[in-house]
Amino acid sequence: MSGHAARTATADVVCLGESMVTFLPSQPGRLADVPSFARGIGGAESNVACALAAAGHRAAWVGRVGADGFGDHLVEAITGYGVDTSAVRRDPDRPTGIYFRTATDRATDAHEVAYYRAGSAASAMSPHNVPYESVLAGRVLHLSGITAALSADCLALLDDLTAPRENRPLISFDVNHRPGLWRGGDAGPAVLLGLARRSDLVFVGEDEAEEAWGLHGAGAIRAALPEPALLVVKRGADGVTVFSRAGDRARDTVTDVPSLHVDVVAAVGAGDAFAAGFLSATLRDLPVRDRARHGHLMAAAVLTVPGDLTGPPPRAHADRLAALDDEAWGTLRLGPGWTAAAGANEEVRIT
């Protein structure tokens, strides 16, 4: 964060994007067979904001919701996590987006999601109706490729926010390739590549890089994305590879950080939680290895609860775990309730 320290910021992180009301199934099965749903909130960027606020950072979410009850619920729920929502705009003519999903892992063929977001209030975000004074007020601006896919206006907004500008915040970009959102052509992969190359910190999964760009392996991804000072390649169960450099002409430092052993309750929300943990440690100027470990720990907190959001582990507890030597890190196994284990490391370890 040293290269961005000179700018006065009123927030640690500003997250911009669409948040939706999500309906979670009361039991496993096809959407056609689920009898009832519980209401929650969902949205990659607002998830990151909520996790960062819960971890003690000054986080803001900027978005656009309808002037309807679902919009009321979103703003109230996100504010309840301690997130600044004062820059959220209400659209009198367009609805708040909603979606329904099944209980199965998103990576399986059995997983179903029914989105009702076409023409949503968030899809009308543009450079002309988003409050730039609020969007650019953080030390970090966190964006994702989902927003770029919502409409031509949303893409124009992300193009403008990632363009070079004097004294801009650190631009964090989660690729979040969602092929189903890129209708009417195959422009999505090229758009996402361009946005990533103009960002400072990029999160991308090996699987989505292969699907979007035909790239295989972390090295090939770095070769295609040489500009970001920090590139985090997520390799699933194998952990992450982080490419980092201190200046434009500096050589990359490559840091591999294994994943944790986690007793998964629900495989949702982990990517957003990882980004929040990594950003939290970045704000604290921790070493790259520890940034990735905090990402893994925040992801483990979400993976061991049923929903997309949960409280993070206490900072001191997470710091102790992140500081373990490689052998001890490799023996950790985290299950439901582990975030409450604020005592000795052995409370969450297996040997």
Side-chain angles (χ1 to χ4, degrees):
M1 292 298 298
S2 57
H4 299 260
R7 191 174 58 83
T8 301
T10 60
D12 292 324
V13 180
V14 176
C15 302
L16 177 144
E18 180 172 34
S19 190
M20 295 178 291
V21 172
T22 175
F23 289 92
L24 311 174
S26 58
Q27 64 185 44
R30 302 182 310 154
L31 284 178
D33 300 327
V34 175
S36 61
F37 296 81
R39 184 182 64 178
I41 62 173
E45 300 85 2
S46 59
N47 284 348
V48 172
C50 289
L52 284 166
H57 297 285
R58 299 174 301 161
W61 171 62
V62 178
R64 195 172 181 87
V65 299
D68 50 32
F70 288 142
D72 293 340
H73 174 65
L74 276 176
V75 174
E76 291 167 7
I78 294 169
T79 303
Y81 278 89
V83 176
D84 179 357
T85 58
S86 60
V88 175
R89 296 293 182 259
R90 309 301 291 263
D91 191 318
D93 302 315
R94 298 174 180 85
T96 303
I98 65 173
Y99 73 98
F100 298 77
R101 67 170 172 82
T102 53
T104 49
D105 187 339
R106 286 175 179 158
T108 70
D109 292 336
H111 183 67
E112 297 174 72
V113 180
Y115 287 109
Y116 299 89
R117 72 196 304 179
S120 70
S123 70
M125 288 189 296
S126 80
H128 308 294
N129 62 19
V130 166
Y132 271 48
E133 68 279 5
S134 298
V135 173
L136 301 175
R139 296 169 62 194
V140 176
L141 172 59
H142 181 69
L143 308 167
S144 95
I146 294 172
T147 305
L150 297 180
S151 68
D153 282 342
C154 284
L155 174 54
L157 175 61
L158 260 63
D159 274 337
D160 193 43
L161 290 174
T162 57
R165 69 176 70 238
E166 185 178 358
N167 214 19
R168 77 175 189 176
L170 184 146
I171 303 296
S172 168
F173 182 71
D174 193 333
V175 171
N176 265 330
H177 180 228
R178 299 288 188 270
L181 293 178
W182 292 95
R183 295 171 180 165
D186 56 0
V191 167
L192 295 174
L193 187 66
L195 292 170
R197 293 183 66 178
R198 294 199 299 275
S199 300
D200 303 302
L201 163 59
V202 173
F203 300 96
V204 62
E206 265 191 334
D207 53 349
E208 61 184 345
E210 182 174 353
E211 182 178 31
W213 305 318
L215 300 174
H216 304 278
I221 297 170
R222 182 50 158 174
L225 292 170
E227 293 87 356
L230 281 163
L231 172 64
V232 182
V233 179
K234 298 177 287 185
R235 299 182 289 112
D238 293 328
V240 300
T241 297
V242 184
F243 297 88
S244 58
R245 64 169 185 270
D248 291 340
R249 297 181 179 276
R251 294 173 62 95
D252 269 335
T253 297
V254 182
T255 307
D256 290 309
V257 183
S259 294
L260 290 162
H261 302 286
V262 180
D263 296 327
V264 176
V265 172
V268 293
D272 300 332
F274 180 92
F278 193 97
L279 285 170
S280 173
T282 299
L283 289 163
R284 299 166 60 201
D285 281 324
L286 297 185
V288 168
R289 185 205 70 170
D290 291 3
R291 298 182 195 189
R293 285 188 171 188
H294 275 279
H296 286 317
L297 289 164
M298 194 83 85
V302 169
L303 289 170
T304 50
V305 299
D308 289 25
L309 288 166
T310 189
R315 180 176 290 184
H317 186 43
D319 282 346
R320 284 195 296 271
L321 296 180
L324 292 173
D325 61 38
D326 290 346
E327 181 179 0
W329 177 261
T331 67
L332 281 176
R333 189 178 193 99
L334 305 179
W338 77 269
T339 58
N345 293 334
E346 284 73 19
E347 292 181 279
V348 292
R349 284 182 61 186
I350 60 171
T351 56

